[in-house]
Amino acid sequence: MITRRRAGLAAAAVATLALTAACGSSGNQSAGTPTTDTVQPAGQGTSDYDYGSSGSGGGDGGQAGGGEGKGAKAGPAAGKLALSQAPELGPVVTDAKGMTLYRFDKDVPDPAKSNCSGACATTWPPVPANGATAPAGIAKSDLGSVTRADGVKQLTIGGWPAYRYIKDTKAGDTNGHGVGGTWNALAADGKKAGAQKPGDVSVFNQPELGELLVDGQGRTLYRFNKDSAWPMKFACNDACLDTWKPAKPADRSQLTGIPEKLITTVTRPDGIRQLAVDCWPVYWFTGDKQPGDINGQGKDGLWFAVSKDGKKITATPEG
C-alpha cells in the first residue's frame, strides 16, 4: 500500500513538472506572456517591417510594461517624416514609407518619458530618433528624442514618444488609432490627430506661415494677385491652370475653424465652379505634395496662402 502511495506521488510530481514547463519557466509570468521583450522572428508578421504577430504581446489595449528582460527591438529609422491626409483624422505623421506614427496617453511629454515597455513595446515598436527629419508641415523644433529604460533612443514629436503599430500592414493604415482608448495617431504638433474633424476647408498651423487655410485633402489654398474680388476677375487661365488648380466648392456646413460668411462659390468664365474665400477665388498648387507644403508661397511675387480670416499671408518662408 505504501509502495502504491509513493508511486502515485511520483506520478503527480511528473505531471506538475510537465504542466509548469508547458506554461513557461518564469515563476512570475502568466501563460501566453513572453519571457523577454524581443519581437517575433522576421517573416511571421505582415507589416512592411516584419514585426511579427502581436497575438501574445498583450500590449494591444495600451498596457504599460508587460514583462521583464531585454527591451523590445525598435523598428527601422523613420527617415524623412511626412504628413498624410487620413480620412476622418486629417493630417497624421508618417515615416518615410508612409507608416503612421502614434502616441500613448500614459507617456509623459515634458520631460519626455515612455511608459510602454515589455510586451507593450512589442506591439507598439518605438521609433528610433536617429536620422529623423521634419517635412515643411512639422516644426523642426518639435522633433526630439528620449532615451528609454531599455536603452533605445526614441523619437519624440512635440515631446511625445513616437511608435508604430504592429497591425498596420501598409502605408496609410491607421488601425492603431483609438486602441484601448489610449493610443492615437500623431498630428503635426504632437497632439492627437482627429481632435478636430477635417472639413471641406480647415485651418492648418503651418510652422513658418502660421494658421492658414487648406482644402479637404489638406492642400494649402492660395490666392492670385492678378485676380480680383470685386468686380470679380479671373486672371489665371489656360496654361496657368496646369499649375494652379481651382479649389472645389465647399459645403458651408463642413468647415473647420473658419466663419461660414467667408466661404462662397463663384463660377469661372469656362463654367468651372470654384471656391472663394472672402470673395477671392482660391487655388491649390501642383507643386505641393503633402499637407503643410507651401511651395507656392510668394511664387512670382503673385501667389499667397490665405489666413483663417480670409487675408493673404505675405510672409516669406525660409529658404
Side-chain angles (χ1 to χ4, degrees):
M1 184 173 189
I2 294 175
T3 301
R4 286 199 299 271
R5 180 178 295 176
R6 287 177 177 172
L9 290 172
V14 170
T16 300
L17 179 62
L19 180 61
T20 301
C23 292
S25 59
S26 174
N28 62 358
Q29 291 285 346
S30 60
T33 301
T35 57
T36 68
D37 299 338
T38 54
V39 296
Q40 298 295 323
Q44 291 190 12
T46 55
S47 77
D48 284 356
Y49 298 120
D50 291 323
Y51 288 131
S53 171
S54 64
S56 63
D60 236 30
Q63 297 95 326
E68 301 297 331
K70 296 180 180 178
K73 291 180 181 178
K80 185 170 184 178
L81 302 178
L83 290 176
S84 175
Q85 188 76 0
E88 304 299 320
L89 297 180
V92 300
V93 182
T94 67
D95 66 13
K97 289 188 176 182
M99 304 302 287
T100 301
L101 304 189
Y102 297 89
R103 48 170 276 175
F104 183 33
D105 281 354
K106 295 181 181 180
D107 285 349
V108 180
D110 186 18
K113 180 183 178 183
S114 169
N115 287 313
C116 175
S117 60
C120 174
T122 300
T123 303
W124 302 90
V127 179
N130 293 342
T133 58
I138 299 177
K140 294 177 182 178
S141 60
D142 277 340
L143 296 191
S145 66
V146 60
T147 301
R148 298 166 47 83
D150 54 19
V152 172
K153 191 175 183 181
Q154 184 174 3
L155 173 69
T156 61
I157 300 175
W160 289 92
Y163 306 82
R164 297 184 181 95
Y165 182 43
I166 199 172
K167 291 185 180 179
D168 282 349
T169 61
K170 64 182 183 300
D173 279 354
T174 55
N175 298 316
H177 186 76
V179 168
T182 55
W183 290 91
N184 295 274
L186 275 160
D189 55 3
K191 295 179 181 178
K192 300 175 185 179
Q196 284 188 316
K197 185 177 179 180
D200 287 355
V201 180
S202 302
V203 177
F204 180 84
N205 191 13
Q206 210 282 335
E208 295 185 72
L209 299 186
E211 294 183 316
L212 51 76
L213 298 185
V214 298
D215 68 6
Q217 296 188 45
R219 296 175 296 209
T220 300
L221 295 176
Y222 300 89
R223 59 188 247 187
F224 185 33
N225 273 4
K226 290 187 177 181
D227 285 349
S228 65
W230 192 262
M232 185 67 65
K233 178 182 177 183
F234 299 89
C236 181
N237 299 290
D238 303 322
C240 175
L241 296 178
D242 293 336
T243 303
W244 301 91
K245 302 296 185 180
K248 292 182 178 180
D251 181 340
R252 295 177 70 183
S253 69
Q254 301 295 318
L255 307 176
T256 304
I258 180 172
E260 289 184 21
K261 65 181 181 180
L262 290 179
I263 300 300
T264 54
T265 299
V266 295
T267 302
R268 300 173 53 82
D270 55 13
I272 295 175
R273 288 165 56 80
Q274 183 174 0
L275 173 68
V277 179
D278 198 21
C279 295
W280 282 83
V282 292
Y283 307 76
W284 57 270
F285 179 48
T286 56
D288 287 344
K289 303 303 182 184
Q290 60 180 288
D293 278 357
I294 50 170
N295 297 314
Q297 178 68 0
K299 277 283 185 183
D300 302 319
L302 297 170
W303 293 91
F304 298 94
V306 183
S307 70
K308 66 179 182 179
D309 59 0
K311 308 303 181 184
K312 68 179 179 181
I313 299 172
T314 58
T316 301
E318 295 180 7

